[in-house]
Every structure is written in structure tokens, then in C-alpha cells.
């Protein structure tokens, strides 16, 4: 099949398709949004300098995130594009590899700035483009139909709920953001076009975190919360109600401020190239990024670009310290996170200290440094005058706890250090079971039970659901998904499917009434490709928090294993839920969510104590899975029970736990049982429970993936053995 690209004048323009662009210019005014100054600044800086790389907006629901992003295009300067080019090429610097090119002596067209919305449920062909099957079958020409990346070139690509985006779409965005081009290699077609996009994403952290690779591609990030000032909240309500009552009149009220903002943005763009960032400013940026221990060099580069844009926005031709500070507050918070359990944010006191430091080889101070912080800075004193105090907090906050001879205890106070050391020495000479809190012992009064601290998470074994599923693409269990390796042809073709060429040809060749000298393919001959990959699951953690688990070392192991499983669920894009049981009931500590850091917070603060209501925990888990199967039938559950297998609540505790296990097995729930029993003498109750559940049985010390590797290595002779 020869490759020819249909000329632009024979194909509909993307601008004629309303689903590609949300830039109508008739929404809520940008300058009318109240209480989101940091978000407005981040969006404006990226508009002034698109090379910054876009904005990620994190915030609770109902904080005007989407409203503000959609209103941005109304204050952005208009664009000049090549007339008739479906890819929006710049006439002054056209893309030499544009599929609609080459562009020589072409007309020009001015159009408003474009905002293209990428739905989280979009298919791959709608994002990168695909083969125009209608033209292929009707005219016999290979024609490329551009996707959303082509429509967003030189504009904004907006993804609402970006943290819910499927992994295969995230990979496409990473390629476009890194290379500034989109390359399509599929269905016998090879097309490459420019895709320089300003990526803007909004998300609610309660629904899950973002992949680190995509998180780092966002130049800036802001946290948005609803205002707590009653007067400010009243202003928000009043403006929203006024807009709903008379949208046109409300926009007229803010027309002048919108025009002023548009003019100021255009002026900042023109000033951008003349802004100077000197060597002293570069050293300051490098010192700040190194001081916050960010990974790689992208943070330094983005901070520099944002500082230049901020200076241009403020009407200056030179980058000052306040520009670097504003840029660092936007460019660094999301780059300091090492895992999803780390809280985002930036220590502004540390930032001010880093900004106030002198050059590496300064002259002895003789007076007040003109570049010292402003008088209204949180620390007006010179760093030389309080070095004894300013250098003390960092080692005190982190060094002393980690210097203990045994495991660190995050979250513990300094007064508990001697007690912990004494208890470690005592535990070293006795089994954990000898130190357990009795099942019958309840916390005194209203005081919660003991709270054990977890160690750092480790890489776990891969636990999967059995069989072949059909859920959303992920990284856990085998399934028929939208991405993966092609295994066979489907009986029919649906829009969005990949074409299975051998199956299509075979289907067309079965018709004897067609011409023998030329194979004719019709629409009903098309066959879709069935691909097999990995799916995401609902990982339900059922954790025993009773008194039998209260031995300090045992609960440390349980919490560490649980946090490790949560981290594994985050990396595999699963939804997670957490059920704990202790005393006389089981509690849903966290409903099904993609936010594993919320589950980690619940688990870290979980106290232990009381009897063991094992049956209640299993029944609560079975009921939750029943409800979730109704809500999302395609997402398969994987129940992970972490217990020692004891059941002590109620006179018939053992019989009821067996009946509950039979119910879980009868409902076909895939399960894994992690045995937390320790000590020299083991009762083996967890193994019996695993057999009744027909669950995979794993001891808690075998959850780590390295345990399997070490076990295999110990059985394999070394290469130097005779």
C-alpha cells in the first residue's frame, strides 16, 4: 500500500471540528476568579514563556481549577498560522517535515489561541492521529487523520483529572513533551509532525497521584484550596451567581481588565528576550535546587526560565532575587517527592536562607549587602549574625533519629528514644510472642492502643488475580486490554480498534464473487486486533490490628509490608481500599481510591489492641467487593489478608471465621494471605485459613521480592565452584 498524504485543501480542518478546541472565549472571565493568585501567576508565566513546560494544578474539588484554565485562552495573544495547514505551522518558522508542507509562498491566517481538551477516556488514535479508513477504502489512498496533539500544536493541551489518564496515553504525552514532535508508526503508515504543546493538567490528590515521569514534565505546580475567609468566600458566591444570572453582562463588567491583562501578557512576551539572568543569578538558582536535593537538572532549567518570565511579567529587564524566589515556589515542590507518601510542598524558611547566602567566595562583609532580603522578609537578620542558630535545625530534625543503632522510628518524639532502645534490647533476648499484648487486653479508658512505626517500604513480590481479565490497562494481572501484544483478530471492527491486517485480508479473500485479479476490501471485512497486556485491579488490604498483633516488632513488620504493598499498587496503577479489624468490629479505613498516600496515612497512625474479630473483617471485605463489582464489573478484586489467623472475638469466633472464609471462596474472590505469626512455636492458623480461602499463602518475611532472589542465589552454585 503506497503512502500518499492527501493535500490540506482536500481535508477538513481541525478548526472546523468543535470537539477539538474549547476556546470559545465566552466563558467565565479569567480576571474574575477570586482567591487563586498563585494558579493565575503560574498560568500567566507559562503563557509568557511556553518553554517553561506547562502547569499542574493540584487541589480539592470545587476550587475553579477547570474554570480558570478554560478562561486563559481569552487573554492569550492571537496566533498567525499557515493558511490551510492542519497542523498550525508558524509562517515565520514552518515545520520542514509538516505532512501538509512544504510551506512556500503561502497565505497567512490569524486565529485565537487554541485550547484542546484531552478526555481521560480518549483512545490512542484520537490523540496521535490515525489512518483515515474512509479514504483508504473509498479512494485507495493512505491518508493521515491528525489527532489532538496536532490540534494543540502551539497551544494548550488541557487534561482534567490528569492523574486518571491511562498509562499508554501518558507515554504519548511524555514523548510529545520531550521531543516537541509526534511520530505515528502504525497501520503501514509513518508520519511525523511538530507538537510543541503547553501541557496543563488539573487533579484532585484524593483520587490518586501522578506518575513521576509525567509529574516531572510539568514545569510548574500549584496547590489550590478554597478560601477560608468568609468575606472572600462571599465574594466568590456573589460573582458566580451574577455570572449565572447574566453571563454577557458579567463579562462586560470585566472586559476592561481582560483587555489590560491581554496587553500586559503581549508586552511581557516581547520583553522576554531582553531579560538578563547573570552568573550570580544562575549560581543562586543552582544553590537553591541543590539545597532542596531535587533530582536531575530539569528543576534548575525550569526555575531559570520561570524567573526570566517573572521578571518580564513585572516589567524588568534583569532577574532579581524575588523573581528567583517566585519561580522556585512554583518549580520545585513537585520535584522534591521521592515516593507518593511524601507530602508535597516547599519549606519557605529554608528557601529564604538559601537565597540569602553569599557567593561561594565572598569578600568579608563590611556593611549591609544591597542584595540582602527585603525588610519584610521572614528573616531580616544577616545569615552571618545568626549562623549558630540558622544552621542548627536541619541536623536536629533528621540526623539524631537516624543515628540510633537500630531501626529509625519516624514520627516518634525525642523523649521516646531511651525507651525504644531499652525495649529493643529486651526484645533481642526474647521472642515476639512472649512480648505480645493479650487479645483480652483493651486500651485503658478512651486511650487508643499502641501505635507501632513502620520502616522504609521495599519492593514486593508481584501478587496477581488468576485467569484472564478485561479491565482497564494497568500493570498487575493478565488481561485483554487496549494496549499490549496482538494475540488474534476480533470478529468485527469497532472505531478505535487497531486494524488486524492479516485478519482483514483473510476476511476479504473468502468472497468468491469478487474480482480475482484485485483484492477488494470493504467495510465489513475489517477486523480489529485483540491485544493482551496487564490490567489494574482493586487491591483490598484487610489488616489485623488486634492485640495479638501488638508486639512491637510484629506490627512494625505488618505496617512495613502494608506500606510496601501500597507503593506497589501505586506503581501498578491499582485502586486500593483498606479494612482494619480489632476489638469487636471491622472498619473501612479507606474506601476504594487511587490515592495510596491517603491509605498510607491511615496505616501509619493505626493503633493495635483488643480481641480479633476475624470473621467481621472477612465479611466486611466480601461486602465491599460485592458493591464494587456492581459499580465497576470489569475491575477484578484482589484481597490481601494480613493476619496471624487467630479469631478470639465471641464464643463461636472460630466457627464464624470459617463460615466467612467459605463465603469469600464461594464468591470467587482471588485472595492472598500474609501470615504474620512469629516466634519459635507457631500454631499454623493462618495456613489453615489460607487453605479454606483457597488463597496464596505467604509469610510476612517473604513479601519482599529480594527474599526470592536471595533464596534462588543460595541454591545456585557459584561460578567459581569446582
Amino acid at each position: 500500500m503506497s503512502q500518499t498524504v492527501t493535500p490540506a485543501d482536500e481535508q477538513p480542518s481541525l478548526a472546523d471540528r468543535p470537539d477539538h478546541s474549547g476556546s470559545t472565549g465566552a466563558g467565565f472571565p479569567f480576571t474574575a476568579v477570586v482567591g487563586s493568585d498563585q494558579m493565575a501567576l503560574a498560568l500567566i508565566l507559562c503563557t509568557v514563556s511556553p518553554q517553561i513546560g506547562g502547569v499542574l494544578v493540584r487541589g480539592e474539588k470545587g476550587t475553579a481549577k477547570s474554570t480558570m484554565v478554560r478562561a486563559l485562552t481569552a487573554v492569550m495573544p492571537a496566533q498567525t498560522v499557515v493558511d490551510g495547514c492542519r497542523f498550525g505551522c508558524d509562517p515565520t518558522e514552518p515545520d520542514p517535515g509538516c505532512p501538509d508542507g512544504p510551506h512556500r509562498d503561502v497565505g497567512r491566517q490569524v486565529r485565537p489561541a487554541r485550547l484542546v481538551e484531552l478526555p481521560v477516556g480518549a483512545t490512542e488514535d484520537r490523540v496521535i492521529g490515525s489512518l483515515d479508513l474512509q479514504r483508504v477504502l473509498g479512494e485507495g489512498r493512505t491518508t493521515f487523520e491528525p489527532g489532538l496533539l496536532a490540534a494543540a500544536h502551539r497551544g494548550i493541551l488541557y487534561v482534567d483529572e490528569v492523574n486518571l489518564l491511562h498509562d499508554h496515553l501518558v507515554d504519548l504525552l511524555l514523548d510529545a513533551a520531550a521531543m516537541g514532535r509526534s511520530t505515528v508508526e502504525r497501520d503501514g503508515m509513518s508520519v511525523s509532525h511538530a507538537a510543541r504543546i503547553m501541557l496543563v493538567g488539573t487533579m484532585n490528590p484524593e483520587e490518586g497521584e501522578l506518575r513521576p515521569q509525567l509529574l516531572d514534565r510539568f514545569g510548574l505546580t500549584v496547590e489550590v484550596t478554597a478560601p477560608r475567609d468568609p468575606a472572600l468566600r462571599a465574594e466568590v458566591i456573589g460573582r458566580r451567581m451574577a455570572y449565572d444570572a447574566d453571563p454577557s453582562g458579567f463579562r462586560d463588567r470585566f472586559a476592561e481588565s481582560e483587555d489590560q491583562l491581554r496587553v500586559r501578557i503581549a508586552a511581557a512576551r516581547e520583553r522576554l528576550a531582553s531579560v538578563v539572568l547573570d552568573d550570580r543569578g544562575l549560581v543562586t538558582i543552582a544553590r537553591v535546587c541543590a539545597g532542596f536535593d531535587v533530582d536531575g537538572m530539569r528543576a534548575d532549567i525550569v526555575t531559570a526560565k520561570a524567573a526570566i518570565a517573572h521578571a518580564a511579567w513585572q516589567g524588568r529587564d534583569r532577574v532579581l532575587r524575588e523573581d528567583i524566589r517566585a519561580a522556585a515556589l512554583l518549580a520545585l515542590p513537585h520535584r522534591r517527592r521521592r515516593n507518593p507518601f511524601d507530602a508535597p510542598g516547599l519549606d519557605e524558611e529554608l528557601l529564604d536562607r538559601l537565597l540569602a547566602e553569599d557567593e561561594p567566595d565572598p569578600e568579608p562583609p563590611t556593611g549591609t549587602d544591597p542584595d540582602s532580603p527585603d525588610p519584610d522578609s521572614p528573616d531580616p537578620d544577616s545569615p552571618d549574625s545568626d549562623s549558630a542558630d540558622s544552621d542548627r535545625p536541619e541536623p536536629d530534625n533528621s540526623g539524631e533519629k537516624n543515628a540510633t543503632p537500630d531501626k529509625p522510628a519516624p514520627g516518634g518524639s525525642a523523649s521516646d528514644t531511651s525507651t525504644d532502645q531499652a525495649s529493643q534490647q529486651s526484645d533481642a533476648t526474647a521472642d515476639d510472642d512472649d512480648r505480645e499484648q493479650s487479645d483480652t487486653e483493651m486500651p485503658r479508658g478512651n486511650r487508643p492502643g499502641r501505635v507501632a512505626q513502620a520502616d522504609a517500604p521495599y519492593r514486593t513480590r508481584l501478587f496477581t488475580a488468576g485467569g484472564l481479565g478485561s479491565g482497564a490497562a494497568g500493570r498487575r494481572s493478565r488481561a485483554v486490554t487496549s494496549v499490549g501484544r496482538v494475540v488474534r483478530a476480533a470478529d468485527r471492527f469497532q472505531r478505535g480498534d487497531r486494524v488486524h491486517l492479516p485478519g482483514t485480508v483473510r476476511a476479504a479473500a473468502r468472497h468468491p464473487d469478487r474480482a480475482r485479479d484485485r483484492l477488494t476490501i470493504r467495510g465489513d471485512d475489517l477486523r480489529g486486533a485483540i491485544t493482551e497486556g496487564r490490567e489494574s485491579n482493586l487491591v483490598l488490604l484487610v489488616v489485623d490490628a488486634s492485640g495479638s498483633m501488638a508486639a512491637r516488632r510484629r506490627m512494625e513488620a505488618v505496617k512495613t509490608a502494608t506500606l510496601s504493598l501500597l507503593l506497589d499498587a501505586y506503581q501498578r496503577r491499582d485502586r486500593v481500599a483498606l479494612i482494619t479489624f480489632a476489638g469487636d468490629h471491622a472498619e473501612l479505613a479507606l474506601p476504594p481510591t487511587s490515592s495510596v498516600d491517603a491509605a498510607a496515612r491511615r496505616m501509619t497512625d493505626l493503633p493495635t489492641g483488643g480481641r480479633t474479630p476475624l470473621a467481621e473483617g472477612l465479611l466486611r471485605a466480601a461486602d465491599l467487593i460485592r458493591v464494587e463489582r456492581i459499580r465497576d464489573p470489569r475491575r477484578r478484586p484482589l484481597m490481601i489478608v494480613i493476619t496471624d489467623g487467630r479469631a478470639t472475638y465471641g464464643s463461636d469466633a472460630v466457627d464464624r471465621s470459617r463460615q466467612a472464609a467459605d463465603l469469600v471462596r464461594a464468591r470467587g474472590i482471588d485472595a492472598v494471605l500474609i501470615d504474620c505469626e512469629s516466634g519459635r512455636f507457631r500454631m499454623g492458623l493462618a495456613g489453615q485459613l489460607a487453605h479454606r480461602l483457597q488463597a496464596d499463602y505467604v509469610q510476612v518475611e517473604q513479601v519482599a521480592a529480594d527474599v526470592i532472589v536471595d533464596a534462588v542465589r543460595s541454591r545456585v552454585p557459584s561460578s567459581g565452584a569446582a
Side-chain angles (χ1 to χ4, degrees):
M1 187 178 292
S2 61
Q3 177 182 341
T4 59
V5 178
T6 302
D9 56 358
E10 298 183 23
Q11 298 194 26
S13 171
L14 286 171
D16 298 331
R17 306 174 187 174
D19 57 328
H20 279 283
S21 176
S23 177
T24 61
F28 197 88
F30 186 86
T31 55
V33 179
V34 179
S36 299
D37 296 340
Q38 278 293 92
M39 178 179 173
L41 177 61
L43 292 173
I44 289 173
L45 293 184
C46 285
T47 303
V48 172
S49 177
Q51 293 81 10
I52 291 175
V55 183
L56 174 65
V57 184
R58 297 164 48 95
E60 56 196 21
K61 50 188 175 293
T63 50
K65 299 187 298 293
S66 301
T67 299
M68 203 165 192
V69 173
R70 295 188 177 103
L72 179 63
T73 53
V75 297
M76 292 176 63
Q79 294 179 341
T80 302
V81 298
V82 173
D83 190 15
C85 178
R86 297 171 297 157
F87 300 87
C89 283
D90 186 351
T92 61
E93 192 179 353
D95 177 19
C98 178
D100 286 351
H103 300 304
R104 299 189 183 94
D105 300 327
V106 293
R108 300 187 177 192
Q109 177 186 359
V110 178
R111 71 180 186 187
R114 177 168 290 181
L115 181 142
V116 177
E117 296 195 33
L118 173 60
V120 294
T123 57
E124 183 177 339
D125 65 311
R126 290 291 289 159
V127 177
I128 63 174
S130 63
L131 193 67
D132 190 336
L133 292 177
Q134 183 177 0
R135 288 184 178 271
V136 171
L137 299 179
E139 304 174 11
R141 290 189 296 175
T142 302
T143 306
F144 177 67
E145 182 179 5
L148 299 181
L149 288 178
H153 175 50
R154 300 177 60 205
I156 299 174
L157 183 65
Y158 172 49
V159 188
D160 191 15
E161 306 295 346
V162 64
N163 52 326
L164 304 182
L165 200 65
H166 291 305
D167 276 354
H168 66 287
L169 298 183
V170 171
D171 295 335
L172 298 177
L173 294 184
L174 288 173
D175 290 340
M179 306 301 298
R181 299 192 65 83
S182 175
T183 302
V184 183
E185 300 281 355
R186 59 185 300 175
D187 302 331
M189 175 180 57
S190 178
V191 176
S192 177
H193 63 85
R196 294 190 299 272
I197 58 176
M198 186 177 101
L199 186 61
V200 178
T202 55
M203 59 174 284
N204 184 351
E206 295 178 355
E207 297 174 346
E209 287 298 333
L210 202 60
R211 277 178 56 182
Q213 295 89 342
L214 183 58
L215 182 66
D216 190 52
R217 286 295 175 184
F218 285 99
L220 310 178
T221 184
V222 289
E223 294 278 341
V224 180
T225 58
R228 297 295 181 256
D229 182 11
L232 195 56
R233 295 175 73 97
E235 180 66 19
V236 173
I237 298 171
R239 291 191 179 189
R240 185 70 223 189
M241 295 181 67
Y243 174 78
D244 293 339
D246 183 11
S248 178
F250 185 82
R251 284 192 295 270
D252 291 341
R253 285 174 48 192
F254 290 90
E256 182 178 356
S257 60
E258 294 277 288
D259 291 339
Q260 293 175 354
L261 179 59
R262 190 179 301 109
V263 170
R264 186 178 175 186
I265 290 176
R269 279 189 170 185
E270 294 179 359
R271 189 182 299 110
L272 187 68
S274 62
V275 176
V276 176
L277 175 60
D278 56 21
D279 292 341
R280 184 186 182 96
L282 289 174
V283 172
T284 301
I285 291 174
R287 182 171 62 244
V288 168
C289 294
F292 281 105
D293 195 26
V294 297
D295 292 332
M297 294 298 299
R298 185 173 288 118
D300 306 61
I301 297 171
V302 171
T303 304
K305 292 180 178 179
I308 294 173
H310 190 269
W313 169 247
Q314 296 296 330
R316 291 188 286 269
D317 57 1
R318 178 174 176 267
V319 174
L320 303 181
R321 188 171 299 178
E322 60 190 82
D323 300 315
I324 298 176
R325 187 182 194 277
L329 288 174
L330 296 172
L332 299 185
H334 61 301
R335 292 186 166 90
R336 295 185 62 245
R337 308 189 73 187
R338 294 297 185 269
N339 60 67
F341 304 149
D342 294 339
L346 205 66
D347 185 349
E348 295 193 30
E349 293 184 1
L350 175 59
L351 175 60
D352 290 332
R353 290 201 301 271
L354 293 171
L355 289 172
E357 288 182 7
D358 294 332
E359 294 292 328
D361 296 317
E363 297 181 0
T366 57
T368 305
D369 187 351
D371 289 331
S372 61
D374 295 333
D376 56 353
S377 174
D379 185 7
D381 296 329
S382 170
D384 294 324
S385 63
D386 62 350
S387 58
D389 295 330
S390 61
D391 293 338
R392 198 172 293 154
E394 282 188 90
D396 285 346
N397 286 340
S398 59
E400 288 186 4
K401 290 180 183 178
N402 293 333
T404 53
D406 208 338
K407 302 175 182 177
S413 61
S415 61
D416 296 330
T417 305
S418 60
T419 305
D420 288 343
Q421 293 176 351
S423 112
Q424 290 169 9
Q425 294 173 358
S426 176
D427 289 343
T429 58
D431 293 321
D432 284 343
D433 284 332
D434 295 336
R435 296 284 184 262
E436 288 177 4
Q437 179 181 354
S438 172
D439 284 343
T440 59
E441 181 183 344
M442 296 295 292
R444 298 179 181 176
N446 296 324
R447 188 177 59 190
R450 288 194 284 176
V451 179
Q453 301 299 327
D455 288 336
Y458 48 75
R459 187 169 63 92
T460 68
R461 297 170 53 178
L462 173 60
F463 299 109
T464 63
L468 187 67
S470 59
R475 297 184 176 183
R476 185 169 295 276
S477 305
R478 291 179 56 243
V480 175
T481 60
S482 57
V483 291
R485 62 184 183 89
V486 178
V487 293
R488 63 181 185 276
D491 295 335
R492 57 182 180 176
F493 178 83
Q494 296 180 351
R495 182 170 178 82
D497 289 349
R498 295 171 58 183
V499 177
H500 193 279
L501 291 179
T504 299
V505 172
R506 286 194 298 268
R510 293 193 184 103
H511 298 279
D513 55 331
R514 300 183 187 175
R516 293 290 183 181
D517 57 342
R518 180 180 179 184
L519 181 63
T520 303
I521 298 178
R522 298 175 180 173
D524 56 355
D525 297 327
L526 290 176
R527 297 293 183 268
I530 295 180
T531 55
E532 181 178 314
R534 296 278 178 175
E535 68 175 356
S536 62
N537 297 109
L538 170 62
V539 177
L540 174 57
L541 296 170
V542 185
V543 181
D544 186 350
S546 64
S548 64
M549 307 294 291
R552 188 178 58 81
R553 287 191 176 181
R554 177 181 295 188
M555 204 57 200
E556 280 181 2
V558 170
K559 287 193 173 184
T560 304
T562 304
L563 292 178
S564 303
L565 291 168
L566 287 173
L567 181 61
D568 180 70
Y570 162 77
Q571 294 170 340
R572 300 187 186 280
R573 314 307 291 171
D574 294 315
R575 289 176 63 82
V576 295
L578 177 64
I579 290 177
T580 62
F581 56 93
D584 58 356
H585 69 287
E587 178 183 0
L588 178 60
L590 184 72
T593 178
S594 298
S595 179
V596 296
D597 56 342
R601 289 193 297 269
R602 305 290 198 282
M603 194 65 210
T604 301
D605 299 333
L606 178 67
T608 57
R611 294 184 180 275
T612 310
L614 179 59
E616 283 70 15
L618 296 176
L619 292 175
R620 187 72 178 88
D623 186 64
L624 176 64
I625 291 175
R626 177 186 62 81
V627 174
E628 289 303 312
R629 279 176 169 172
I630 298 175
R631 293 178 178 174
D632 190 356
R634 296 179 57 194
R635 187 181 296 273
R636 293 190 294 167
L638 177 63
M639 186 173 74
I640 301 180
V641 185
I642 305 177
T643 182
D644 58 3
R646 302 181 186 181
T648 61
Y649 172 68
S651 57
D652 54 348
V654 176
D655 291 338
R656 287 189 299 108
S657 63
R658 292 173 179 172
Q659 295 172 5
D662 292 341
L663 175 64
V664 171
R665 182 184 60 191
R667 293 186 177 179
I669 300 174
D670 292 300
V672 176
L673 193 141
I674 298 178
D675 186 3
C676 301
E677 191 174 21
S678 58
R680 295 192 184 94
F681 304 103
R682 304 195 180 196
M683 301 176 65
L685 298 177
Q688 299 175 17
L689 179 62
H691 178 73
R692 204 167 193 98
L693 288 169
Q694 291 186 353
D696 295 333
Y697 173 79
V698 180
Q699 293 182 353
V700 68
E701 57 269 17
Q702 298 174 338
V703 173
D706 295 341
V707 173
I708 302 177
V709 177
D710 294 341
V712 173
R713 287 176 178 173
S714 64
R715 293 177 179 270
V716 177
S718 63
S719 57

